[in-house]
Amino acid sequence: MATVKDFSVQEKLISLITLQKIDSKLDEIRILKGELPMEVADLEDEVHGLKNRRTRIEDEINGINDFIEQKKQSIVESQELIAKYEKQSNNVKNSREYEAITKEIEMQHLEVKLAEKHIKDANEELHDKARKLENANKNTANKEAILSEKKSELEKIIVETEKEETHYNQLSSEARTNVDERLLSSYQRIRNNYRNGLAVVPVDRDACGGCFNAVPPQRQSEIKLSKKIIICENCGRILVDSDLNDSIETK
């Protein structure tokens, strides 16, 4: 059995054309999926971020509620002290004691007013946080609905193309074993350079099938003979005879 290095140039070209056609089939499947996989991944990240934001707001709301309860308790304690001091004021022995108790009562009234102000401010902040939480819930729900729709769409395409994609992936792996290692490296590098993934193209209407740059008649004759690997001088793609290219089909 001949090894890859013993293959003729024409056999190498046939292997390259076969590989290109198989990979182009895989490219078609990926195009069918479009940007869906990336969209799904981005949406998943966005939903995760929205949920984290919602959790942070909920934690802040809980913190504000705890603060309000503390201030309410502080008011209760101050009111109890006021009642205590007012009762004591009825039994004072001198003006000095009366002034001291009066100051304590005034101090506790100030504490009540300050706590009430803190509660008022906290309630305003609570209202703002509640509005933000409502918006966060709406945004999360909307994004989750879009994500669910995109996932369903992607899963449908995956189911429809999975068998075909597996088939062509297997053919691609097998075809690569029949291509010279250096040629395979060049092929992959050229494929990576172009969005359409075309590294091997036929001469069509006297022009390169990739960049449509004119191919001189003498060069076309050399390509038709398939005696050596010829590269497009303009785009760097591997040029092959159109008849040879059309004669190769992928199952």
Side-chain angles (χ1 to χ4, degrees):
M1 180 182 291
T3 59
V4 172
K5 66 180 181 180
D6 295 325
F7 288 165
S8 67
V9 172
Q10 186 176 49
E11 287 171 328
K12 291 179 181 179
L13 288 171
I14 290 172
S15 295
L16 279 172
I17 294 169
T18 302
L19 178 58
Q20 177 67 78
K21 292 198 171 188
I22 293 168
D23 284 346
S24 290
K25 288 286 185 181
L26 286 168
D27 291 340
E28 289 174 11
I29 294 172
R30 294 185 186 107
I31 289 170
L32 180 62
K33 291 180 182 177
E35 300 295 326
L36 273 176
M38 192 176 297
E39 285 181 30
V40 167
D42 288 344
L43 279 168
E44 286 175 335
D45 288 343
E46 194 170 351
V47 167
H48 180 69
L50 285 169
K51 285 182 176 179
N52 285 341
R53 173 174 169 74
R54 184 174 63 186
T55 300
R56 285 196 300 271
I57 295 173
E58 288 172 342
D59 289 342
E60 289 169 355
I61 288 174
N62 290 334
I64 294 171
N65 282 324
D66 289 343
F67 176 80
I68 290 173
E69 288 304 314
Q70 289 172 7
K71 292 304 173 181
K72 285 181 178 180
Q73 183 59 36
S74 176
I75 290 173
V76 170
E77 291 172 357
S78 291
Q79 288 172 339
E80 288 176 350
L81 286 173
I82 290 170
K84 174 185 173 183
Y85 291 139
E86 285 178 343
K87 186 177 180 180
Q88 288 178 355
S89 67
N90 295 325
N91 299 314
V92 294
K93 295 178 180 180
N94 52 55
S95 60
R96 184 176 178 183
E97 286 183 7
Y98 182 79
E99 287 178 3
I101 290 175
T102 301
K103 285 182 180 179
E104 286 295 339
I105 292 172
E106 289 175 353
M107 182 67 68
Q108 292 308 316
H109 278 299
L110 288 173
E111 288 291 337
V112 169
K113 287 182 179 179
L114 184 59
E116 287 174 342
K117 182 180 185 306
H118 284 158
I119 290 172
K120 181 183 177 183
D121 293 342
N123 277 321
E124 289 178 358
E125 187 178 359
L126 195 61
H127 178 74
D128 181 59
K129 294 295 181 184
R131 181 180 55 79
K132 288 181 178 179
L133 180 59
E134 184 181 359
N135 289 335
N137 285 331
K138 286 180 180 178
N139 289 336
T140 302
N142 288 337
K143 290 297 180 182
E144 284 180 328
I146 295 171
L147 175 59
S148 178
E149 183 181 341
K150 293 290 184 182
K151 274 187 172 180
S152 296
E153 189 178 345
L154 179 59
E155 286 168 5
K156 183 180 178 181
I157 293 174
I158 289 173
V159 169
E160 292 173 350
T161 61
E162 186 174 19
K163 186 176 179 181
E164 187 179 11
E165 189 172 13
T166 300
H167 169 69
Y168 283 115
N169 273 322
Q170 184 176 348
L171 287 182
S172 179
S173 296
E174 292 172 358
R176 287 170 188 273
T177 63
N178 294 324
V179 180
D180 178 86
E181 188 175 336
R182 290 177 61 189
L183 268 179
L184 182 60
S185 177
S186 297
Y187 165 83
Q188 196 58 54
R189 176 177 51 78
I190 298 168
R191 255 179 72 78
N192 292 340
N193 286 340
Y194 297 101
R195 291 185 63 183
N196 62 11
L198 291 178
V200 182
V201 294
V203 175
D204 186 26
R205 297 181 182 180
D206 303 327
C208 168
C211 66
F212 310 112
N213 198 53
V215 179
Q218 178 60 37
R219 181 61 61 88
Q220 289 185 49
S221 297
E222 293 174 351
I223 293 167
K224 201 166 190 67
L225 290 173
S226 300
K227 297 295 184 183
K228 60 181 179 179
I229 306 294
I230 296 177
I231 305 297
C232 174
E233 295 177 352
N234 184 60
C235 68
R237 291 181 172 94
I238 299 169
L239 296 172
V240 296
D241 177 57
S242 59
D243 290 337
L244 179 62
N245 184 74
D246 293 342
S247 68
I248 299 171
E249 295 181 359
T250 55
K251 297 180 180 180

